[in-house]
Amino acid sequence: MTATSSPVALAPAAPAAPVAPIPVPVTAARRAGWITGIVLLALLLAFYLAVLYGMLLGNIIAIIAAFAALVPLAIVVAVVVRVDRWEPEPHRLLWFAGLWGAIGSIALTELYLMLFGTADVFASIVIQAPILEEITKGIGVLLLFLFARRFFDGPVDGLVYGGLVGAGFAFTENIQYFGQALAAGGFDALGESLFLRGLLSPFVHVIATGLTGLALGLAARRGLSRGGCLAWGLGGLAAAIAFHGLWNFTMVTMPFEVGYPLIQVPLFALFVWGVVYLLRKEQKLTAARLTEYANVGWFTPAEVIMLSTPKGRREALRWAATQPGDRRPEMRKLITAATGLAYARERAISGRDTLASTVDEPAFLQAVVAARSEVLRPV
């Protein structure tokens, strides 16, 4: 099948000089070392938490509660990963975000509560918990921003990182809540707790910490200085605390059948609308940057549509599936490379990433050429 006979109108690769293998920058290697060290520390803290929950709840109860907590975790992670599909983040950073939420932020929260926790139930739930938990979760998002800023391209990235930190935190917290419910009221109480926390409101921590990441992502997109980014991050943290506090306030002061539809559902709907809006902005950015490459011959206009719109990507994958040997994996590589190229171009234009034009753009262009060749290889 030739390129012209395909419905996605793939063009031949534009001529380009060979690009030599690109070494990992020293700064990136150091940052990777920092992240590896933090992950190892998180694993040690995981062992500590496993022992702690085993002592508090009993080993069997803790195990059952952990399996129950996997249900909302699976729901949340599936949604966050779908949001991340447009421009996927490195897996190691996604794992770090989840581990920090599940282990690092929980450990810091528990340590503070042991030292300074309040006995006042209202103050603990409505004031102390939102402030303390959003700060400890926000530390993880900030670490990602500081040590992996080149992968913090914009607000959607921030939502993904913050959302996974929140998902990890909720997973570990749910083990405690589900275990306590099981110990106090058996499987009926566990089922009720799972329904309320795991199915009706699994996104509370995801949304709250996502606001912190969103603010840092907006700062990154604007190319602000570290001081400016910190100010935006603090603003996002304040929004996260306010959202978390309002959510908890409705739980304490209103009957569930009143507070949930009146306050919590509209907040969730507003957040979903915001995510959809931001994803559309990301799609427009991808199209704009790829059009610049199309203007100098790297892509055809039809390819830009194919690579920068959800419909175009779906049609491209359907067409690839009909080719000999099923070429969807190669098409996905082309889509990923082109998207990475668009974001590298955006970082280069903003001036916030000195490696974008000299390292990332040549690498992604080479990847585009290679992937296109694989998609259009002769039968």
Side-chain angles (χ1 to χ4, degrees), residues 226-293:
R226 283 202 172 187
C229 290
L230 179 60
W232 275 71
L234 290 175
L237 177 62
I241 292 171
F243 170 85
H244 196 160
L246 177 60
W247 191 285
N248 286 4
F249 178 80
T250 63
M251 293 175 57
V252 173
T253 61
M254 299 182 185
F256 179 80
E257 60 272 16
V258 175
Y260 186 76
L262 185 64
I263 303 295
Q264 296 177 353
V265 170
L267 287 175
F268 176 72
L270 179 63
F271 184 80
V272 170
W273 176 86
V275 171
V276 172
Y277 172 79
L278 290 173
L279 283 174
R280 288 177 178 173
K281 295 278 287 185
E282 298 297 293
Q283 293 161 14
K284 291 179 180 180
L285 183 149
T286 304
R289 296 295 165 256
L290 291 185
T291 297
E292 295 174 7
Y293 287 101

Side-chain angles (χ1 to χ4, degrees), residues 177-208:
Y177 281 107
F178 294 164
Q180 290 172 345
L182 179 61
F187 283 97
D188 289 342
L190 172 60
E192 181 180 355
S193 181
L194 177 60
F195 178 72
L196 294 176
R197 292 184 58 86
L199 300 180
L200 291 185
S201 56
F203 292 95
V204 179
H205 287 289
V206 173
I207 296 174

Side-chain angles (χ1 to χ4, degrees), residues 29-47:
R30 288 175 179 172
R31 290 172 181 172
W34 272 96
I35 292 175
T36 301
I38 293 171
V39 169
L40 291 175
L41 177 61
L43 292 176
L44 292 176
L45 292 173
F47 176 76

Side-chain angles (χ1 to χ4, degrees), residues 353-373:
D353 185 359
T354 57
L355 298 176
S357 59
T358 58
V359 174
D360 292 340
E361 283 190 278
F364 281 121
L365 284 170
Q366 187 180 47
V368 165
V369 172
R372 183 194 277 118
S373 298

Side-chain angles (χ1 to χ4, degrees), residues 9 11 24 28 49 54-55 66-67 83 87 112 124 129 135 152-153 169 189 194 224 239 247 338 345 356:
V24 178
L49 288 173
M55 289 188 300
F67 275 100
V83 172
E87 190 252 332
Y112 180 91
S124 174
I135 289 176
F152 223 112
D153 284 314
F169 186 96
L194 177 60
L224 302 181
W247 191 285
R345 178 67 176 167

